Amino acid sequence: MNPFPELKTIRDTRFFRAAPVQTVFWTAIAFLIWYYSSKAIHDLLVWGAFAAALPRARRAWPVWSNAAGIAFIGLLIFTLVTLPLSVSWQDSALDLLRLARLPAGAFAVSVWFQRTDQMFSAMAYSAWALTLVLAADLMRLGWVLRENLLIEAHAYEPFMLNHSNVSSMLAGLCFLVLATIPPLRRKKGTRIAAAIGMLVCLAYLFVLASRGPQIAFLITLAVAGFIWMRGWRCRVAWVLAGLVAGSLVGYNINRLNPRFEDRDQMTTFAGRTTVWQHTWELAQQRPWRGYGYGKRVFQEVYETTDPPTPPPPFHHVTYPHPHSYALFVLFQHGWPGFALYAFAWGLLAWRLIRGLWQYRNHPDRWLKGMVAMLLLMLHLYGLADYPDNRLAIILVWLVPAALIVTKNGGNYEKTIMPEHLC
């Protein structure tokens, strides 16, 4: 499926229409977008897609013209309008300008990927590209660390994808996307490839031993199975199986990830309780205006307000953010902004829940459920960390994705992936 049907280029030739060529091409584009997320090539692709979408801006209105879509547009306007209230509006403006590619990309997504098969294709190509990167990272770590792989992989630098927590989250997200391919794709080879990719993601989650992503993934997987199962008998069986599996995992958690044995780190959430407490105290000093948008403002305010010393071994840790999505929103925008964020995400969650209930025994539940589970995993992770870097991009771009898969109640004719995909 050509995600940009209006553009007539080499992609319309007979050679390009061959399935393997399209798969390689779009996977390569996805690789450039996600692997080089902080490089010029990423900005070129995103802003290029945004500029090309502008003449077709009317196509975006049906996607955003609903309560949830308008709420998120309102969030963007609120951030711009309250910019002068920042304690350092110059720093806030710089951060806002640097991250302008996120709403620009969200707009492009709402223009170019308006059908469920197009959205599914975009997510599948992204998952393939990132899974290849994760596989390469596993091989790199295995070659370098050898017998110390399971001991040192979590903290080994340089990180291939910003940080072990970020890359582990990407592994869990890719698993959820790849898990939707077998039930929606008839070709046996593609199903086998998806299964191999899922194993790579699971291996990565295990080897990197990032506790937050592991917990978020397990909870999301439990919910995902309940949603994806068809019929109440299968769902009850899944719940029972989940209870048994959860008991076994909980009993053997220290064997599966020895980092859970560190009681000092577990008690303080790896030093996070210190930054949470101080950020909360700061937020109470400006409850209605907040301090302003961006990590630059947070770092300046936090470091200049005599923060408490974290417990060892985190004495010299510099906190770029408060390691909590909700707390960061409160710090930046105060209670009015926090309420707006909660309202927007609540509306989107209700939209997804309603669509899932309406299509709980329909094939369309796979795509709706996948988008819902991606958002759930990111928000679970956000309880004890901030979805930064590539996770921030995914979080924003999933908003139009959720609006698209639930548009008009999600009643689409095309819910099966096109035959040429992968």
Side-chain angles (χ1 to χ4, degrees):
M1 173 62 62
N2 181 355
F4 308 101
E6 292 86 351
L7 302 184
K8 305 298 182 182
T9 65
I10 189 175
R11 291 169 294 176
D12 299 297
T13 65
R14 180 177 299 178
F15 171 76
F16 186 83
R17 286 200 296 268
V21 177
Q22 291 196 38
T23 299
V24 171
F25 178 84
W26 291 116
T27 302
I29 294 296
F31 171 80
L32 294 176
I33 290 175
W34 295 113
Y35 186 73
Y36 296 104
S37 62
S38 59
K39 304 297 183 182
I41 184 63
H42 173 94
D43 293 339
L44 180 64
L45 290 170
V46 172
W47 286 108
F50 172 80
L54 283 177
R56 303 168 179 82
R58 289 184 179 180
R59 297 181 59 185
W61 177 242
V63 175
W64 297 95
S65 58
N66 52 77
I70 293 172
F72 278 100
I73 293 174
L75 276 183
L76 179 60
I77 296 173
F78 174 83
T79 303
L80 294 172
V81 170
T82 58
L83 193 64
L85 299 179
S86 171
V87 296
S88 176
W89 70 266
Q90 298 93 335
D91 288 336
S92 292
L94 285 174
D95 273 345
L96 195 61
L97 183 63
R98 181 176 63 87
L99 295 178
R101 56 199 170 99
L102 273 63
F107 169 77
V109 168
S110 67
V111 171
W112 294 119
F113 304 102
Q114 293 215 328
R115 296 202 314 268
T116 54
D117 57 329
Q118 292 174 331
M119 184 58 62
F120 204 115
S121 297
M123 291 185 174
Y125 290 128
S126 296
W128 288 126
L130 283 170
T131 301
L132 290 174
V133 175
L134 297 174
D137 197 22
L138 272 180
M139 291 188 287
R140 174 185 72 107
L141 293 171
W143 176 261
V144 174
L145 300 178
R146 300 183 184 272
E147 66 273 6
N148 295 321
L149 176 64
L150 299 180
I151 300 174
E152 301 180 11
H154 176 76
Y156 182 79
E157 298 186 38
F159 299 115
M160 186 172 281
L161 291 169
N162 181 254
H163 191 275
S164 54
N165 286 349
V166 173
S167 58
S168 295
M169 279 294 295
L170 292 173
L173 298 173
C174 287
F175 179 95
L176 294 171
V177 175
L178 296 176
T180 60
I181 291 179
L184 296 179
R185 186 66 171 93
R186 298 187 181 93
K187 190 174 291 186
K188 185 177 180 180
T190 301
R191 292 180 174 183
I192 294 174
I196 295 173
M198 291 163 65
L199 290 175
V200 170
C201 294
L202 288 177
Y204 197 91
L205 276 165
F206 173 72
V207 170
L208 269 290
S210 291
R211 291 166 293 193
Q214 286 179 343
I215 294 173
F217 174 74
L218 290 175
I219 296 174
T220 304
L221 190 62
V223 178
F226 180 76
I227 289 174
W228 283 334
M229 289 294 167
R230 183 175 181 177
W232 69 269
R233 291 183 179 86
C234 291
R235 292 187 173 100
V236 170
W238 178 263
V239 171
L240 295 175
L243 291 174
V244 173
S247 299
L248 293 174
V249 169
Y251 183 76
N252 296 282
I253 191 67
N254 293 336
R255 295 187 182 92
L256 295 173
N257 185 351
R259 298 184 69 235
F260 281 101
E261 291 182 328
D262 192 334
R263 296 191 177 276
D264 291 336
Q265 286 203 24
M266 292 299 296
T267 302
T268 65
F269 288 88
R272 286 173 171 82
T273 52
T274 300
V275 68
W276 290 342
Q277 180 182 355
H278 190 58
T279 303
W280 172 258
E281 292 170 352
L282 291 172
Q284 301 315 299
Q285 297 175 21
R286 291 174 65 96
W288 301 111
R289 291 183 297 170
Y291 288 87
Y293 179 83
K295 292 192 293 184
R296 286 185 173 89
V297 170
F298 173 81
Q299 292 176 59
E300 179 180 347
V301 172
Y302 188 87
E303 295 298 332
T304 57
T305 52
D306 192 25
T309 303
F314 308 103
H315 292 106
H316 305 292
V317 174
T318 300
Y319 294 100
H321 48 68
H323 287 78
S324 168
Y325 181 48
L327 198 55
F328 199 17
V329 170
L330 179 62
F331 175 89
Q332 293 178 105
H333 303 296
W335 287 111
F338 183 87
L340 284 176
Y341 269 82
F343 183 66
W345 284 118
L347 286 175
L348 189 63
W350 172 246
R351 185 179 172 92
L352 284 165
I353 292 171
R354 184 179 59 185
L356 286 168
W357 177 254
Q358 292 173 345
Y359 291 84
R360 58 191 178 277
N361 293 320
H362 187 276
D364 201 35
R365 75 188 187 280
W366 286 95
L367 182 55
K368 287 183 175 65
M370 182 255 284
V371 174
M373 293 308 101
L374 296 178
L375 286 170
L376 175 62
M377 184 173 175
L378 286 166
H379 280 82
L380 287 172
Y381 174 76
L383 293 175
D385 210 335
Y386 179 69
D388 202 6
N389 194 261
R390 293 165 179 85
L391 303 181
I393 302 173
I394 296 173
L395 185 63
V396 173
W397 290 2
L398 279 175
V399 172
L403 296 175
I404 288 169
V405 300
T406 55
K407 187 171 61 174
N408 298 327
N411 187 15
Y412 296 102
E413 295 181 359
K414 293 188 176 182
T415 56
I416 306 299
M417 284 196 302
E419 280 300 313
H420 73 262
L421 182 58
C422 310

